[in-house]
Every structure is written in structure tokens, then in C-alpha cells.
Amino acid sequence: MPPVDVDSPPLTICDTVGYGDQINKEDSFKAVVDYIDALFENYLQEELKIKRSLCAYHDSRIHACLYFICPTGHGLKSIDLVCMKKLDQKVNIIPIMAKADTISKTELQKFKSKIMTELKNNGVQIYEFPVDDETVSEFNSTMNSHIPFAVIGSTDFVSVGNKMTRARQYPWGTVQVENASHCDFVKLREMLIRTNMEDMREKTHCKHYELYRKKQLEQMGFSDVDADNKPTSFQQIFETKRSNHLQELQQKEDEMRQMFVVRKKEKEAELKDAEKELHSKFDKL
């Protein structure tokens, strides 16, 4: 979810079409991880510009990952654990159970508990709604107990009372998408869009993006301290790297010049030998 402004839509959704459909699912997560990293890289490049305009920059970074879990009742699949483990340091993960109307409420609670246990045992860090703000601490604490959210989706509208509402029609009754007693869709929408959107954006910038930025700068050879563990500036590191780079270029130039001289001498020696052969043949003739 990108930041809300006047000129852009309040919500942007990126759907991972085809995820997990491959025969070999070993690298199914790679496309998702690469996409998130590409958006981080775009922001980093804007940040490193001499003339930057981050205030006007359209922040397209991913602020929340709604990870849908199949309601099998048998726990998480290995592909789910692997993917969430790869993503938990890059994006705020919110696990969601789809098609929650396919299992009973008793089974649903057992399945929720099983999922949370497996996530904890495998060290997967999911996004938890903050409870440090007194105004929303009680509400968020209650919502944290509902994770993973069990939701129901529908494209059909059914008449319930005097109004039309999204619902799924079954022979035994009607399941309403926006009925809090039927599923957690309303709770999820409330937590994402109204209550915790700013916190997710802040966590993306201060935690996930900072981790990516730190790794990228370290790969470029930049650090806050020098070899003697003393504080150093960005410009000092740049000047050092520039000086080293110029020395390497000069060294390569000298090596190429020496190599050229050696090859030239070898070629001259070959030509002299060939000339001697020609003279000897001429003398014989």
C-alpha cells in the first residue's frame, strides 16, 4: 500500500498471479522477493541523487503482504514457510485464511492456533499490530488475537433485509462478507486501511528498507567506520575508493604498456629471423 495523496489512488494492490503453480516450486518466492527489492532499489537510487525530491517521489514500496493460506486444516505447506521466511525481513506479512466458510468454527480456531504455532517454531516474523499507543493498544491487542484473519470473498450481491450486500449463497443459508460474525473481513479492512496504515508505512521505511539500504551500501564498500574502527565520512570513503581505483587503472596501464613492449620485441625478433632465412635462401640461389 503506497502513501495516500491527492493525485494517486488510496490503495494499490499487486497480485502474484501464478505463484506456486510451477512443477518445481523451489524458487517460487524469487519473483516476489526480486520485485520487492526492485522497488527498494528505485527508492534508494532516488535517495542517492544529487538533486533529489523525495517529497514529490511516488513511493511504490510494498507496505503489506497479505499471505493467503489454504484452509486445509493440516497446517502450513513447506512452500508457505519457505516463502514467508524469505519475505519477513522485506515486508510486513499478514497471514490470511481464505475461504473460511469451508470449515467449521471449531476447526477454524484449531487451524489458526496451529498456524501460529508453526510460524513461531520456524522463526517466521509476521506483522503484529502495535500496542504501544494508548489510543489503539486495547483494540490492536484484540485484533492480534485474531491473526491469521479468516476471510470470505464474493463477487455476488445478495439481498439481506433492505439492502444488497456481498455474500455467498448456499442451500443452508447465506454467508455475508461484511458480517463480523461470519468472517474477519471487516476487522482486516479496519486494521489495514483505517487504524494501522501509517504504522506499516513507518515500519517499511525504518526497518525493511533500512536493512536493504544497509546491505546495498556495504556491498558497495561503504561503512560508518574505517579499518581502525574509527568514525569516517561518506566523502572520505569515496575519495579512498576513487584513489584506489585510479591506482588500479594506472597499474593496469603500466602492465599493458610492458606487455606491448615485450610483444613488440618478440615480433621484431621473429621478423629478423625471417629476414635472415630469406637472405640465406637468396645467397643459395
Side-chain angles (χ1 to χ4, degrees):
M1 294 181 301
V4 180
D5 56 51
V6 177
D7 299 323
S8 66
L11 182 68
T12 301
I13 298 175
C14 303
D15 190 10
T16 55
V17 180
Y19 168 73
D21 291 343
Q22 302 88 347
I23 296 175
N24 182 4
K25 298 179 174 58
E26 186 176 352
D27 293 330
S28 296
F29 62 87
K30 193 174 186 303
V32 183
V33 172
D34 290 346
Y35 180 70
I36 295 172
D37 282 345
L39 298 179
F40 279 158
E41 183 63 26
N42 292 341
Y43 192 89
L44 179 61
Q45 291 303 320
E46 180 66 26
E47 200 175 47
L48 293 176
K49 285 181 180 178
I50 296 174
K51 188 178 180 181
R52 58 182 184 175
S53 56
L54 292 175
C55 295
Y57 179 74
H58 175 62
D59 186 5
S60 58
R61 293 174 296 178
I62 305 297
H63 298 294
C65 171
L66 305 181
Y67 196 95
F68 284 84
I69 301 167
C70 294
T72 59
H74 301 300
L76 292 167
K77 299 177 182 177
S78 58
I79 185 175
D80 296 328
L81 290 170
V82 171
C83 184
M84 282 195 273
K85 190 63 181 173
K86 293 289 183 179
L87 290 173
D88 65 357
Q89 296 298 315
K90 296 181 178 294
V91 68
N92 302 313
I93 300 176
I94 302 175
I96 294 174
M97 287 174 52
K99 301 178 181 178
D101 53 336
T102 58
I103 56 179
S104 66
K105 286 191 174 183
T106 305
E107 291 173 329
L108 187 64
Q109 291 303 320
K110 289 181 180 178
F111 190 39
K112 280 188 175 188
S113 178
K114 190 171 186 179
I115 289 172
M116 294 304 293
T117 301
E118 289 184 355
L119 290 175
K120 185 177 180 181
N121 291 341
N122 288 276
V124 178
Q125 299 179 17
I126 62 172
Y127 175 75
E128 292 186 353
F129 304 115
V131 293
D132 50 352
D133 188 350
E134 295 181 359
T135 57
V136 293
S137 61
E138 186 177 351
F139 182 61
N140 279 352
S141 180
T142 304
M143 290 300 105
N144 281 331
S145 63
H146 288 283
I147 298 176
F149 291 103
V151 300
I152 300 166
S154 176
T155 57
D156 300 326
F157 285 88
V158 177
S159 177
V160 178
N162 297 325
K163 65 176 183 178
M164 300 294 290
T165 182
R166 289 186 184 274
R168 299 181 74 90
Q169 192 77 49
Y170 293 101
W172 45 264
T174 303
V175 179
Q176 301 173 37
V177 173
E178 297 187 25
N179 190 327
S181 62
H182 291 180
C183 73
D184 297 330
F185 176 79
V186 176
K187 298 184 182 73
L188 176 63
R189 183 178 62 187
E190 176 73 24
M191 301 310 294
L192 285 178
I193 301 176
R194 295 176 184 171
T195 309
N196 297 292
M197 179 182 284
E198 287 301 319
D199 180 74
M200 284 186 289
R201 288 172 58 190
E202 184 180 350
K203 188 157 287 186
T204 296
H205 184 75
C206 298
K207 180 183 176 183
H208 303 303
Y209 170 70
E210 278 300 314
L211 183 61
Y212 174 83
R213 177 178 171 275
K214 178 174 176 286
K215 287 181 179 178
Q216 291 300 105
L217 291 177
E218 285 177 347
Q219 286 178 3
M220 294 179 193
F222 294 102
S223 176
D224 294 332
V225 293
D226 57 15
D228 299 325
N229 206 28
K230 294 180 180 179
T232 183
S233 67
F234 189 89
Q235 184 165 353
Q236 286 176 335
I237 297 175
F238 174 77
E239 290 295 336
T240 303
K241 291 177 72 67
R242 182 174 179 274
S243 176
N244 293 337
H245 180 65
L246 291 175
Q247 288 177 4
E248 288 177 5
L249 288 176
Q250 186 63 43
Q251 185 178 354
K252 287 182 179 179
E253 186 179 348
D254 294 340
E255 289 176 357
M256 290 181 69
R257 186 178 287 108
Q258 291 174 5
M259 189 181 297
F260 175 75
V261 171
V262 171
R263 291 294 298 274
K264 183 183 176 183
K265 289 180 179 179
E266 290 176 353
K267 196 67 178 176
E268 286 177 350
E270 290 177 6
L271 289 172
K272 285 182 179 179
D273 292 340
E275 187 179 1
K276 286 180 181 178
E277 276 187 46
L278 286 172
H279 279 299
S280 63
K281 285 181 181 180
F282 179 78
D283 290 341
K284 288 179 181 177
L285 290 172

